[in-house]
Structures are given as structure tokens and as C-alpha cells.
Amino acid sequence: MNKIEVSIWEDEYWYAAEVTEGINMPFNADSDIERDIRVAGTENQTSPFLISTKGRYIWSKDGFVYRVKKGKIKCKNSPMKHDIEIFDGYRSLKGAYLNACARFFPPDGKHPNELMFRYPQYCTWIALGTEQTEEGIINYAKSIVDSGMPVGELIIDDGWQENFGSWDFDAKKVPHPKALVKTLHEMGFKVILWICPFVSRDAIDYDYLKYGDLLVKKRSGKIAFRKWWNGKDALIDMSNPSSREWFKSKCDYLMNEYGVDGFKQDAGDAFYYKDSDITYNAVDANTESKLWCESARSLDFNEIRACFKCGGMGIAQRLCDKRHSFTGNGLEQLVPNALMQGILGYPYSCPDMIGGGAIGDFRDKDESEFDMELFVRYAQASALMPMMQYSFPVWKLKNKRIAELCKEAAAIHEEYSDYIMKLVKTASRTGEPIVRYLAYEFPHEDFEKVNDMFMLGDKYLVAPVTVKGQYEKEIRLPEGHWKYVDGNVYSGTVTVGTPIEILPVFERLDEENRLLGIRKKYN
């Protein structure tokens, strides 16, 4: 059916479709919302999937409109699209998720390179903007090494190339690309390049792509030039096998010629396309976005920010740019939206750049204008997610105490990396989230509304401080006994100190370990 109506049950909560809506989830019978995902309209991952804490879910192969009002969910799509279906009988959020995952977005058995999970990633964006020069990149990398930060993946962001669609380094900015990559490798970094599906009229291959019918066209038959944050450019038609072959050849060239290790694939948002576009395989806007994401599957080092219906793929999925703020599109959205990634089938979550990725918040500002507490709390909130990514060089802050606390967050991530990798490998087989709702692990304990703390697997409860000036926190723990980072064992509802040095983490204890802890305490 192209439309369905579902009554929301008593004490039933739903999570729906768009990662960016995580901050507003879940919804229930009292909610009043309407969303249109026929063309995914946000800057993050979207799936045509609604899932309930009572073991039900809604799925379609295509995007649809869903309306929640007066205790009902109404979904509809166009007559030419696939059916919308409801499935039930799976008892819990976890039961519904595992059934949907196995049926509609099974894991492909892959995951991004282990280095991406074990050590922090570093992106040059906030430090360099579009001035990605050879000197600037090397100095940025040297500052990481000299500070004693662990070395990992280094992302050279937008600005290394002369034109969009020109898949070679701008000789004015990077005159010695092979030597640059070699130098970064010798420092211990893996080198990742920012790329996008846009093609400038000035790109060296523009005419080849145009006359080979490898670009998206408008309904009129003319090349579709779409406005985005860098101007107005054409788009590669990823539905065309020849376009995909050209794209792969360019990636291979950068990897083989210069030693590049992988790519950060940005700007593949569905809203840059239209369902009325003329494409090789007559695909809709959502499918073009999906195909852009799918092109990253063969890469060992990859990153995607926006996609449609790509759950189960072994691809790193970053949260979209956050502001340098606690509220609004800032730190408060980090945990809720990472939780949504997990429940929509995207376990390999990468939170946005520590301190925020909106470059306008950093341009032409002195250190005194930044929120020092925010840097620390952002680093801590990222520390026990699958990946963490630095960009603003917090290790160079004049405020040495803040710099050290931000570095300590990287040490926390490394400390838990064996457990994170265990979850990563499990996710590649089962699709299970790494960052999990408490309602997923504890379905009958009234945690449905909790979206400001998370379970890392089934062992650690992580409750990051995301409110400025919050130096103690009341936390209701699930049943059982939980060991806090201070070594004390708690149960029930507790109030714990959360000074700026502390990331609140509780370890779930089985009975044997609880008794062992008591014996150690009193012996």
C-alpha cells in the first residue's frame, strides 16, 4: 500500500527516519509532527524506517511523508513508489531493530579501517579552511606530533584541489603532493582527501563528462547546475556505470600516484538532486545520494556525512557540522543524534569535530572568545563513541589545563579501544548499534525518554556532561550494580560529582564482580 495508518499504543515510543531529529526523539501518542523524506532534506543520514519500543516498525524502499497527530501515525508516498509496510510482534526496541536489520539492511560484513576506531582522527578544516597549503598541512601535522597526541588519520579538507571535479592537487597550494603525503606517512598518519560529487565548468574533465552524458541533467535536458555552499556546479550522475568508472579511476589515480589512503566524501545530500532530473538509470534524488555513499564501500578509509537508506554498510558516518555552543545545533545534539544513527542502522558513528565544525564560529577569533569548558565537554562526549575527530588544534591552546583535558579525552578513547573494536566487529556481523539507547538494552525499565546518555555496547553506561556549568549530575541507573569511574559501586538513582575533569562512566557489574569489589574494599 502507498499509505498506512497506525494507532500509537499506550506507553509506546517511536524513533523515526532522520538522524538530525534525534534531539526530538522519541515521539508518542501526544506528539504532533510532520516530516517529508520523499527527498531527504537534512544534512545527515536518513532511512525510510520508523521503529517502536513495543517491537513494531514501519519500512518502505522509498521515502515517504509521515504525520503524527492525535495518537496516530499516517504515512503516504507517491502511487509509483513502493509499498509502505508495518511489521510487529518483536516485543521490544531491540527485537524490532534486529528483525528490520536482518530483513532490510543486513550488515555487509565490513567496517572501516581499525585505525579509525583506535585513535583520534584529525581534520584540517577548522585550522586551515579552504587554504589547504602544503606548509599549513605539514605544520598542522607537526603540531599534533609535537604535542604528544596519538597519531591517526589526517583529513586534508576542501581546498586542496584547483577546481571541483579536477582530481589533482592545486600546484599553487601543494606543489609537491607526493612528497607531502610521504612526509605525513613518515610522521605516522594515514592521509585522507576531501572530495565531493560536484564538477565545476572550469574542471579539466568537465567537457568529457558533459559530452559523455555523465552529469545529471534537468528535465529540460540541460546540465543541472545546483547551488551549494561552494557555489553553483554540475553533479556526477552516479547511476551511470561510466560515471562510476570515471570516479573510481580518479580515486585510484590519487591513491596510486600520491599514496593517498582514502577519502572523506562530502556534499552527497539528496536535496541537491531532484526526482525530475534526467539520469542514466532514471533514479530519484534519494537514490543518487545513496549511490554516492555506496561508492565509498570499497575504501578502507572512508567517511560519509549524508545518505539515504545505507544502513548496514561498512562506512564511517559522520554527524553534520555542529556549532561552537552547548545549545541549539551544538553539543546537546551530539548524543541524541549518535543514538539515532545506531537505531537507523549506521553503527560506525563519528561525532562532528571537537568544539564544533561550523567554521564561521572560528574565523578571525582570538582564543579568549572561545568557550574553554565546551572544548573539554565536547572531547569527553566524543571519547566513548566509536570514533572521535579533532580539527581545531586544542592541543595548542594557551590555556594548558584545557589543552591537557582535551588530550586526556583521547587517552580515554584509546583505553577503551579494545572494547570498541569488539563492538565494531560484532556490528559488521549483526548490525547491532555500538552507541545504544538505554531502552534498547533495558526494555522494561522506563528509559524510553532518555536520550542524553547512552550504552556503549552492553557494558558501559556513558553520561556525558552537555550542560554548561553542570558539576554534579543525577543519574537513574538500570537495575543491578554499576561501578563509577571513582571506583564506588552504585545502584538505583545517584548523584555523582562531574567536575570538568570527569567523564561520567559506569561499568555494569555481574554478581561475581560486584562481590569481588566488596571484598577488595574491605580487605
Side-chain angles (χ1 to χ4, degrees):
M1 294 185 292
N2 296 112
K3 61 181 180 179
I4 62 170
E5 181 175 301
V6 177
S7 295
I8 301 174
W9 296 339
E10 183 179 359
D11 296 326
E12 182 178 31
Y13 295 86
W14 289 78
Y15 308 85
E18 297 162 297
V19 163
T20 53
E21 285 297 304
I23 188 69
N24 300 316
M25 292 290 134
F27 65 80
N28 64 5
D30 297 323
S31 300
D32 186 347
I33 57 177
E34 183 171 1
R35 298 286 184 270
D36 186 347
I37 59 167
R38 288 174 296 183
V39 174
T42 73
E43 296 177 332
N44 258 157
Q45 302 79 24
T46 300
S47 289
F49 181 46
L50 283 65
I51 184 169
S52 151
T53 56
K54 295 293 187 181
R56 303 195 288 172
Y57 65 92
I58 294 168
W59 175 267
S60 175
K61 290 183 178 180
D62 299 304
F64 50 82
V65 179
Y66 66 95
R67 180 83 166 95
V68 181
K69 190 173 184 179
K70 295 183 179 179
K72 295 184 182 296
I73 305 171
K74 296 181 180 180
C75 305
K76 64 178 181 179
N77 61 17
S78 305
M80 300 301 292
K81 299 291 186 178
H82 289 89
D83 287 349
I84 306 170
E85 301 177 88
I86 182 163
F87 302 83
D88 61 20
Y90 303 104
R91 304 183 63 181
S92 67
L93 184 64
K94 184 174 185 175
Y97 174 82
L98 291 176
N99 181 269
C101 176
R103 189 180 300 212
F104 294 114
F105 45 94
D108 60 11
K110 299 178 181 180
H111 59 74
N113 189 281
E114 188 166 328
L115 188 78
M116 297 176 68
F117 300 97
R118 288 198 175 275
Y119 305 108
Q121 303 164 17
Y122 303 92
C123 179
T124 60
W125 179 238
I126 298 300
L128 301 179
T130 56
E131 290 303 308
Q132 301 288 325
T133 65
E134 193 170 294
E135 181 182 12
I137 294 164
I138 290 175
N139 287 340
Y140 182 80
K142 282 187 67 177
S143 75
I144 296 167
V145 174
D146 292 346
S147 73
M149 291 285 286
V151 175
E153 175 186 277
L154 183 77
I155 302 166
I156 299 174
D157 216 289
D158 177 11
W160 60 271
Q161 75 280 59
E162 188 173 3
N163 296 297
F164 304 114
S166 293
W167 294 68
D168 212 335
F169 287 86
D170 183 344
K172 294 178 182 177
K173 293 180 180 178
V174 185
H176 311 100
K178 190 175 292 188
L180 169 63
V181 174
K182 184 174 183 289
T183 298
L184 295 173
H185 281 163
E186 288 171 349
M187 291 183 189
F189 292 102
K190 295 294 184 180
V191 181
I192 313 304
L193 289 183
W194 178 95
I195 57 175
C196 67
F198 285 95
V199 180
S200 166
R201 288 182 178 91
D202 297 323
I204 193 169
D205 281 356
Y206 175 74
D207 284 345
Y208 168 79
L209 296 169
K210 176 182 177 180
Y211 295 112
D213 284 335
L214 307 185
L215 299 173
V216 173
K217 296 178 181 178
K218 298 188 292 185
R219 180 185 293 173
S220 65
K222 296 181 178 180
I223 301 296
F225 288 91
R226 296 283 153 76
K227 187 176 180 181
W228 63 307
W229 68 82
N230 274 326
K232 196 172 184 180
D233 296 293
L235 284 155
I236 306 166
D237 176 12
M238 295 300 286
S239 78
N240 189 329
S242 296
S243 301
R244 295 197 297 271
E245 184 179 343
W246 174 86
F247 171 76
K248 184 178 185 304
S249 73
K250 295 301 179 181
C251 292
D252 288 345
Y253 167 75
L254 289 164
M255 297 175 80
N256 295 331
E257 180 68 17
Y258 302 122
V260 170
D261 298 291
F263 299 94
K264 169 185 175 176
Q265 294 184 218
D266 203 0
D269 311 71
F271 52 74
Y272 292 128
Y273 308 88
K274 296 182 179 180
D275 284 355
S276 60
D277 286 339
I278 297 173
T279 60
Y280 176 87
N281 214 26
V283 300
D284 62 12
N286 284 336
T287 302
E288 281 285 1
S289 181
K290 180 181 180 182
L291 290 168
W292 175 242
C293 178
E294 285 184 339
S295 68
R297 296 176 82 171
S298 63
L299 297 167
D300 197 26
F301 290 88
N302 55 43
E303 182 190 302
I304 287 285
R305 175 188 49 76
C307 62
F308 179 82
K309 203 176 64 174
C310 293
M313 297 182 190
I315 297 174
Q317 299 280 357
R318 182 172 64 88
L319 291 179
C320 61
D321 294 356
K322 297 287 176 282
R323 300 293 306 273
H324 182 74
S325 65
F326 277 91
T327 57
N329 184 28
L331 177 58
E332 70 176 359
Q333 293 201 15
L334 205 67
V335 173
N337 293 0
L339 285 164
M340 279 295 287
Q341 285 181 311
I343 207 64
L344 293 179
Y346 306 97
Y348 311 122
S349 172
C350 180
D352 190 36
M353 305 162 197
I354 287 164
I359 198 167
D361 291 345
F362 295 88
R363 279 199 180 108
D364 303 321
K365 290 188 177 179
D366 183 77
E367 182 175 313
S368 63
E369 299 180 73
F370 299 127
D371 190 321
M372 294 293 116
E373 183 181 353
L374 177 66
F375 280 128
V376 177
R377 294 308 195 187
Y378 208 117
Q380 291 172 346
S382 304
L384 292 184
M385 291 191 180
M387 306 176 191
M388 64 187 309
Q389 188 174 116
Y390 292 87
S391 187
F392 181 88
V394 289
W395 51 89
K396 292 173 61 178
L397 286 168
K398 296 174 185 176
N399 188 324
K400 299 303 180 187
R401 179 169 177 262
I402 297 299
E404 284 302 312
L405 290 173
C406 290
K407 288 169 65 176
E408 284 179 17
I412 292 171
H413 185 78
E414 199 169 346
E415 178 187 347
Y416 286 79
S417 62
D418 284 345
Y419 184 68
I420 290 172
M421 275 312 304
K422 178 183 175 183
L423 297 173
V424 167
K425 291 174 181 178
T426 299
S428 72
R429 298 191 305 270
T430 68
E432 276 213 270
I434 296 171
V435 170
R436 303 175 185 175
Y437 284 103
L438 269 69
Y440 182 95
E441 282 297 324
F442 308 100
H444 307 298
E445 298 188 36
D446 298 324
F447 285 111
E448 290 84 357
K449 296 180 182 179
V450 175
N451 69 356
D452 63 347
M453 55 186 185
F454 62 91
M455 289 296 297
L456 177 62
D458 62 2
K459 188 175 182 179
Y460 297 103
L461 188 156
V462 188
V465 174
T466 58
V467 177
K468 187 173 177 63
Q470 185 178 43
Y471 302 126
E472 65 175 25
K473 193 167 185 176
E474 183 178 89
I475 298 170
R476 182 170 68 87
L477 297 166
E479 291 180 7
H481 295 86
W482 298 81
K483 184 170 72 173
Y484 192 48
V485 289
D486 62 6
N488 289 315
V489 176
Y490 298 99
S491 59
T493 299
V494 299
T495 299
V496 294
T498 56
I500 195 169
E501 299 85 3
I502 295 295
L503 167 61
V505 183
F506 295 84
E507 180 182 359
R508 188 180 189 179
L509 299 179
D510 57 30
E511 186 63 15
E512 181 180 349
N513 285 329
R514 184 181 76 85
L515 294 174
L516 179 62
I518 292 173
R519 286 196 294 272
K520 284 182 177 178
K521 184 175 181 179
Y522 291 102
N523 285 343

